[in-house]
Amino acid sequence: MHWRIGLVGFGNVGKAFVSLYREFREIWNKRFGLTSDFVFILNSRGGIFDEKGISDEALNEALSSKEGLTSLKGWRKGLKFEDLIDSANINLLVEVSPTNIKNGEPALSYIKSALSKGIHVVTGNKGPFLYNFRELFDLAKEKKCFLGIGCTAGAALPSINFGLGSLSGSRIDRIEGVLNGVCNFILTSMEEKGISFEEALKIAQEMGIAETDPSLDIDGWDTASKILIIANYLMDSSLTLKDIQVKGIRGISQKEILDAKKIGKRLKLAGVAVRDGERVKAEVKLIEVGENHFLFDLRGTNKGILYVTYPAGEFFVKGGASSPTGAGYSIWRDIINFQFKLQ
Amino acid sequence: MHWRIGLVGFGNVGKAFVSLYREFREIWNKRFGLTSDFVFILNSRGGIFDEKGISDEALNEALSSKEGLTSLKGWRKGLKFEDLIDSANINLLVEVSPTNIKNGEPALSYIKSALSKGIHVVTGNKGPFLYNFRELFDLAKEKKCFLGIGCTAGAALPSINFGLGSLSGSRIDRIEGVLNGVCNFILTSMEEKGISFEEALKIAQEMGIAETDPSLDIDGWDTASKILIIANYLMDSSLTLKDIQVKGIRGISQKEILDAKKIGKRLKLAGVAVRDGERVKAEVKLIEVGENHFLFDLRGTNKGILYVTYPAGEFFVKGGASSPTGAGYSIWRDIINFQFKLQ
């Protein structure tokens, strides 16, 4: 399959996505028959476009230059998705612009527009799925398009992939995940170093793990978005962000951490989804886990997810530490898995 | 897809395989369009055969009777695979007879025979793959047949599946697995209870975890077989059992276990496969792991596997405790995954 890719978003993840293709293209071509052209690349201010495929030289320049796209000869300020989607003749939209948890825009419109024209979509953007999950998957089904969202639910941590390929045909009754590396780093640091929430957050910010505005992470919304997407995908629910009770870790006291430690336990911020008859309930909360719990040994920025299933049994997956490379890889993973099914 | 299944082996795994279909068939039909007939079922002494598909009543009787197949009206003593393979018109052979690590027979011949006639094969039998891995997969490829062997490498533990679907396109550089529940149970019991190897083995035998002749497990051959299959599948090697250095746990002393415990470490019997340039080296050995090692917290009969990959990162999967249900499920998992790709 030859992919003509339109890429929206050229931050760290978008760059890693392009860079990985250049590193692995010979292997993937040989192994999967996968080849690609990048037809357009857009950021929030404009972009580049070449119907014949953006040249290797231009891609190299864009990847290595500090200014990114704007330094390129072909840079067109104000170039917009709407200008290209009908004429650029792409067969795959890769959408990796930042998440907007309020209404998913502008990514939501981009994805709808692409799917409605029969263009496959792979995205790392959670926003569009927080209120419109079923609508988007129904549209993809109607248009016989692939809609790959593995990256949205933990990046390289294969939360959705594991549920699909490793638990095929099994009923998933419960999912518990430590899905946010920042929160786990803060909780681990507070316990190990005996420091306060504020101190641990500051360290995370200085290390570049946490954002200047860490609200999405520490107030639990990132975890909520991920457990929503995982539950909707793997447990056939139709949750929206409003259906999820969310408690974060902002301002958690040292006493709470140390009280747990005294009795050999640890606090974890977990996204939990549970099958309850025909319904699925999801929430984000602090859970106290003992040393026999699957999540007990997840330290620092590590993520992990537990699946309680029938008849396959219980499984725990950990790994996929947060990184642009991991996120960029997870976009390719979706593409490769889709391509495998096509063959 | 409608499967006309010939089943060889009606021990615990074969029974679980049939039983699970009866439990899940409505769900799987609705979800995957999967339907099946069991055309023949053989054990080592004979079998039953009905070209129209063995009736539900007969399957129920066979599953519930202590005598199994021999109590059925249609039982034919001495009925053989060779009598059926040309005439029974099956499109899937499910082979779950016991493993023979010397030469893989008779399963090896059955599988070759089926593939050469264009019949898909799913098996839980390690024997045929210990010296003939490439030959069998080359034959499957030539005949455009599916050869599903997920069950052979840890049963419900999705060792191969994880490598395929969750690490798609990534290069696997190292695999380390605690792949044998009996050995891990013995090592855990020796450490926790301060008992000898012989005492721990006896408990495992009394609990029905270990066989009367436990050689395959405790001498490391079961682990060796699994790491061979996993490495050949996921790392493109062509190892045979002769290429693997194997050390088991027979006669391990309490002192060794307790010396490790004193310094906060644990001993694990691991199958290890490492990429070394163009080659892959595999061995089975005792490794001493500290509390930061992925395998440290695997207790009792639990299994787990670590993948060191690029660019996806490091991942650890645990779960899939040994059980006939888990093994029977893993056969269906292969069938469903194959069917998904067909659609």
Side-chain angles (χ1 to χ4, degrees):
Chain A
M1 183 82 178
H2 182 75
W3 296 106
R4 287 179 55 85
I5 300 175
L7 172 61
V8 177
F10 200 62
N12 290 335
V13 177
K15 283 179 187 162
F17 171 73
V18 174
S19 182
L20 281 172
Y21 179 65
R22 299 176 57 66
E23 188 174 349
F24 279 89
R25 61 181 165 185
E26 283 177 35
I27 294 167
W28 291 344
N29 185 7
K30 198 172 154 196
R31 176 163 288 211
F32 310 116
L34 185 153
T35 59
S36 291
D37 276 316
F38 294 93
V39 178
F40 64 77
I41 304 180
L42 301 177
N43 63 23
S44 55
R45 290 160 295 151
I48 56 176
F49 165 53
D50 188 334
E51 213 199 324
K52 294 190 202 116
I54 297 163
S55 70
D56 275 5
E57 293 67 29
L59 288 177
N60 282 343
E61 266 185 65
L63 289 170
S64 58
S65 153
K66 270 191 187 167
E67 291 84 34
L69 300 178
T70 55
S71 66
L72 302 184
K73 254 196 327 202
W75 166 254
R76 287 158 63 181
K77 196 178 169 187
L79 188 67
K80 284 189 165 60
F81 180 83
E82 296 78 9
D83 302 333
L84 295 165
I85 188 64
D86 280 319
S87 59
N89 191 26
I90 62 169
N91 58 10
L92 175 63
L93 170 67
V94 172
E95 214 291 338
V96 288
S97 68
T99 288
N100 163 359
I101 70 164
K102 284 189 187 131
N103 59 17
E105 293 296 355
L108 175 60
S109 296
Y110 296 167
I111 293 172
K112 269 192 203 172
S113 169
L115 290 175
S116 67
K117 293 172 205 301
I119 295 166
H120 302 294
V121 175
V122 180
T123 180
N125 196 320
K126 297 171 198 67
F129 302 93
L130 303 183
Y131 294 96
N132 303 79
F133 191 97
R134 281 292 145 224
E135 179 192 355
L136 288 168
F137 276 90
D138 287 347
L139 179 58
K141 193 175 176 185
E142 182 197 331
K143 297 291 182 178
K144 296 185 168 47
C145 282
F146 176 62
L147 177 52
I149 63 168
C151 180
T152 65
L157 179 76
S159 55
I160 288 173
N161 296 77
F162 190 87
L164 288 179
S166 293
L167 300 174
S168 331
S170 208
R171 190 187 67 224
I172 300 176
D173 290 326
R174 183 180 183 89
I175 294 175
E176 266 177 53
V178 165
L179 300 169
N180 183 277
V182 175
C183 290
N184 206 49
F185 176 85
I186 291 173
L187 292 172
T188 307
S189 303
M190 288 177 71
E191 185 206 323
E192 288 180 351
K193 302 182 183 165
I195 57 180
S196 71
F197 171 81
E198 289 73 19
E199 287 168 308
L201 172 59
K202 203 178 155 209
I203 294 172
Q205 285 170 325
E206 283 167 2
M207 289 172 67
I209 299 167
E211 308 276 338
T212 315
D213 175 3
S215 317
L216 281 182
D217 293 324
I218 67 175
D219 291 332
W221 296 106
D222 177 71
T223 302
S225 304
K226 289 172 183 164
I227 194 70
L228 177 156
I229 289 171
I230 295 168
N232 281 355
Y233 210 117
L234 298 179
M235 298 170 84
D236 286 326
S237 55
S238 298
L239 300 168
T240 73
L241 207 50
K242 287 179 185 159
D243 301 318
I244 300 186
Q245 282 205 10
V246 182
K247 192 181 171 317
I249 63 164
R250 191 190 287 269
I252 185 173
S253 72
Q254 236 177 317
K255 184 172 182 308
E256 289 174 79
I257 304 274
L258 298 179
D259 282 352
K261 192 176 179 180
K262 268 183 213 155
I263 54 169
K265 302 209 166 172
R266 289 175 181 159
L267 296 177
K268 297 282 163 196
L269 188 74
V272 180
V274 183
R275 188 177 298 286
D276 179 19
E278 294 294 299
R279 293 184 54 215
V280 172
K281 289 184 186 167
E283 58 184 320
V284 176
K285 60 181 175 183
L286 270 170
I287 59 173
E288 192 179 78
V289 298
E291 65 173 342
N292 290 325
H293 194 284
F294 285 84
L295 300 173
F296 185 76
D297 282 293
L298 273 182
R299 310 299 280 160
T301 57
N302 273 315
K303 291 178 284 188
I305 183 164
L306 166 71
Y307 304 80
V308 180
T309 77
Y310 178 80
E314 289 191 7
F315 296 92
F316 178 66
V317 182
K318 79 175 169 186
S322 303
S323 75
T325 300
Y329 162 73
S330 73
I331 302 277
W332 282 115
R333 174 168 60 198
D334 276 356
I335 297 170
I336 291 167
N337 282 343
F338 174 57
Q339 171 133 345
F340 242 136
K341 285 176 195 165
L342 281 182
Q343 287 168 335
Chain B
M1 183 81 177
H2 182 75
W3 297 106
R4 287 179 54 85
I5 300 174
L7 172 61
V8 176
F10 201 63
N12 290 336
V13 177
K15 282 179 187 163
F17 171 72
V18 174
S19 183
L20 281 172
Y21 179 65
R22 300 177 57 65
E23 187 174 350
F24 279 88
R25 62 180 164 186
E26 282 177 36
I27 294 167
W28 290 344
N29 184 7
K30 200 172 153 195
R31 176 162 285 213
F32 310 114
L34 185 155
T35 60
S36 291
D37 276 317
F38 295 93
V39 178
F40 64 78
I41 304 179
L42 301 177
N43 63 24
S44 56
R45 288 161 297 151
I48 56 176
F49 166 53
D50 188 333
E51 214 199 324
K52 294 188 202 118
I54 297 163
S55 71
D56 275 5
E57 293 67 29
L59 289 176
N60 283 343
E61 267 185 64
L63 290 170
S64 58
S65 153
K66 271 191 190 168
E67 290 84 34
L69 300 178
T70 55
S71 66
L72 302 183
K73 251 196 329 201
W75 167 253
R76 286 159 62 182
K77 196 179 168 188
L79 187 67
K80 283 189 167 61
F81 181 82
E82 295 78 9
D83 302 334
L84 295 166
I85 188 64
D86 280 318
S87 59
N89 191 27
I90 62 170
N91 57 9
L92 175 63
L93 170 68
V94 172
E95 214 291 338
V96 287
S97 67
T99 288
N100 163 0
I101 70 163
K102 284 191 189 131
N103 59 18
E105 293 295 357
L108 175 59
S109 297
Y110 296 167
I111 293 172
K112 271 194 203 172
S113 167
L115 291 175
S116 67
K117 292 171 205 301
I119 295 165
H120 302 294
V121 174
V122 180
T123 180
N125 196 320
K126 298 171 198 68
F129 301 93
L130 304 183
Y131 295 97
N132 303 78
F133 191 96
R134 281 293 147 223
E135 178 191 356
L136 289 167
F137 276 90
D138 286 348
L139 178 60
K141 194 174 176 187
E142 182 197 330
K143 297 292 183 177
K144 296 185 168 51
C145 282
F146 176 63
L147 176 53
I149 63 168
C151 180
T152 65
L157 179 75
S159 55
I160 289 173
N161 297 75
F162 189 86
L164 289 180
S166 293
L167 300 174
S168 330
S170 208
R171 189 187 68 225
I172 300 178
D173 290 326
R174 184 181 182 89
I175 295 175
E176 266 177 53
V178 165
L179 300 169
N180 182 277
V182 175
C183 289
N184 206 50
F185 177 85
I186 290 173
L187 293 172
T188 307
S189 303
M190 288 177 70
E191 184 206 324
E192 287 180 351
K193 300 182 184 165
I195 57 180
S196 70
F197 171 81
E198 289 73 19
E199 287 168 309
L201 172 59
K202 203 178 155 206
I203 294 171
Q205 285 171 323
E206 283 166 2
M207 288 171 69
I209 299 168
E211 307 277 336
T212 314
D213 174 2
S215 316
L216 281 183
D217 293 324
I218 66 174
D219 291 332
W221 296 106
D222 177 71
T223 301
S225 305
K226 289 172 182 163
I227 195 69
L228 177 156
I229 289 170
I230 295 168
N232 281 355
Y233 209 117
L234 298 180
M235 298 170 85
D236 286 327
S237 55
S238 298
L239 300 168
T240 73
L241 206 50
K242 287 179 185 160
D243 302 317
I244 300 185
Q245 283 204 10
V246 183
K247 192 182 173 314
I249 63 164
R250 190 190 287 268
I252 185 173
S253 72
Q254 235 178 319
K255 185 173 181 310
E256 289 174 80
I257 304 274
L258 298 179
D259 282 352
K261 192 177 180 180
K262 267 182 213 156
I263 54 169
K265 301 208 167 173
R266 288 174 181 161
L267 296 177
K268 296 284 164 192
L269 188 73
V272 179
V274 184
R275 187 177 300 284
D276 178 19
E278 293 295 297
R279 291 182 55 213
V280 172
K281 288 183 187 169
E283 59 184 319
V284 176
K285 59 182 176 183
L286 270 172
I287 59 174
E288 193 179 77
V289 298
E291 66 173 341
N292 290 325
H293 194 284
F294 285 84
L295 300 173
F296 186 76
D297 282 292
L298 274 181
R299 310 299 281 161
T301 57
N302 272 314
K303 290 177 286 188
I305 183 163
L306 166 70
Y307 304 81
V308 180
T309 78
Y310 178 78
E314 289 191 7
F315 296 92
F316 178 66
V317 182
K318 79 176 171 186
S322 303
S323 75
T325 300
Y329 162 72
S330 73
I331 302 278
W332 283 114
R333 174 167 61 197
D334 276 356
I335 297 170
I336 291 166
N337 282 343
F338 174 57
Q339 171 134 346
F340 242 136
K341 285 177 194 165
L342 282 183
Q343 285 171 336

